[in-house]
């Protein structure tokens, strides 16, 4: 199976990336995690992106806050699908990172999830890998079914409590 590359701009992004890792582990998807910054370690970030396809990756998740250029800088150096996670910092509530990540110029797309959306980034990467992997696709179908069953259980509980 292709690996998912997970890059975060700083170790302060770890709480968001933990959600990504937890979800990938549940789906038995192989991954590699690195701290590379578009600003502080641009050479390492670029090298990872340039070599990612030949190193067996099928998708890359990039999480960063503030002037979040990481996902875009990774996307500029690979044609693998890149998923950006805007991270919230101490000011502006993550709006800065959201706009920096989502507003990519034509030609260099980044699929941007919600601010702090670590789990959805993992699920989107899983869906990308599952295009060529029917076993993984079946796991994703099973997850959707069990998530739906959990909501219906809550529906039954709220009905019996409030009616
Ligand atoms: C970004 O700046 C990182 O992704 C992080 O979200 C933010 C702050 O980094 P630190 O100052 O906490 O290392 O590059």
């Amino acid at each position: 199976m292709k690996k998912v590359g997970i890059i975060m701009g700083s170790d302060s992004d770890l709480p968001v990336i933990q959600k990504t890792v937890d979800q990938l582990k549940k789906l038995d998807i192989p991954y590699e995690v690195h701290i590379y910054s578009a600003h502080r370690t641009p050479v390492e970030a670029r090298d990872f992106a340039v070599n990612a396809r030949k190193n067996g990756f099928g998708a890359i998740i990039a999480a960063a806050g503030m002037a979040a250029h990481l996902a875009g800088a990774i996307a500029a150096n690979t044609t693998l699908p890149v998923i950006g996670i805007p991270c919230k910092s101490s000011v502006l509530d993550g709006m800065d990172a959201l706009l920096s990540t989502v507003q990519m110029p034509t030609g260099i797309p980044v699929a941007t999830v919600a601010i702090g959306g670590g789990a959805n980034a993992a699920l989107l990467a899983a869906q990308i890998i599952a295009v060529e992997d029917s076993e993984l696709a079946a796991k994703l179908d099973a997850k959707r079914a069990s998530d739906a069953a959990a909501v219906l259980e809550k529906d039954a509980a709220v009905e019996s409590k409030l009616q």
Side-chain angles (χ1 to χ4, degrees):
M1 188 190 293
K2 298 274 189 202
K3 293 181 286 182
V4 174
I6 306 173
I7 314 296
M8 67 194 110
S10 165
D11 61 352
S12 63
D13 302 319
L14 259 173
V16 171
I17 285 305
Q18 190 63 55
K19 294 188 266 180
T20 306
V21 166
D22 291 346
Q23 192 60 67
L24 291 176
K25 274 187 180 162
K26 280 187 201 158
L27 293 164
D28 295 315
I29 297 174
Y31 61 88
E32 224 178 274
V33 191
H34 296 281
I35 298 172
Y36 295 142
S37 162
H39 306 121
R40 293 168 176 155
T41 58
V43 173
E44 287 77 5
R46 180 190 175 278
D47 284 353
F48 180 87
V50 166
N51 296 309
R53 188 181 292 275
K54 78 163 189 278
N55 286 338
F57 292 94
I60 301 174
I61 294 170
M66 301 185 78
H69 297 121
L70 182 61
I74 296 282
N77 287 294
T78 181
T79 52
L80 288 175
V82 175
I83 300 163
I85 313 176
C87 295
K88 191 172 166 172
S89 55
S90 55
V91 291
L92 300 179
D93 279 337
M95 279 303 292
D96 45 355
L98 173 63
L99 297 178
S100 303
T101 305
V102 78
Q103 285 287 60
M104 288 298 295
T106 298
I108 311 292
V110 167
T112 305
V113 296
I115 297 168
N120 259 5
L123 289 169
L124 184 51
Q127 290 177 205
I128 290 165
I129 307 279
V131 168
E132 297 285 345
D133 187 322
S134 55
E135 204 178 311
L136 179 57
K139 282 185 190 173
L140 288 167
D141 285 340
K143 180 184 170 0
R144 288 278 177 104
S146 101
D147 289 352
V151 173
L152 294 177
E153 252 179 57
K154 287 177 190 170
D155 173 57
V158 85
E159 257 189 285
S160 65
K161 191 174 169 188
L162 300 181
Q163 282 176 5

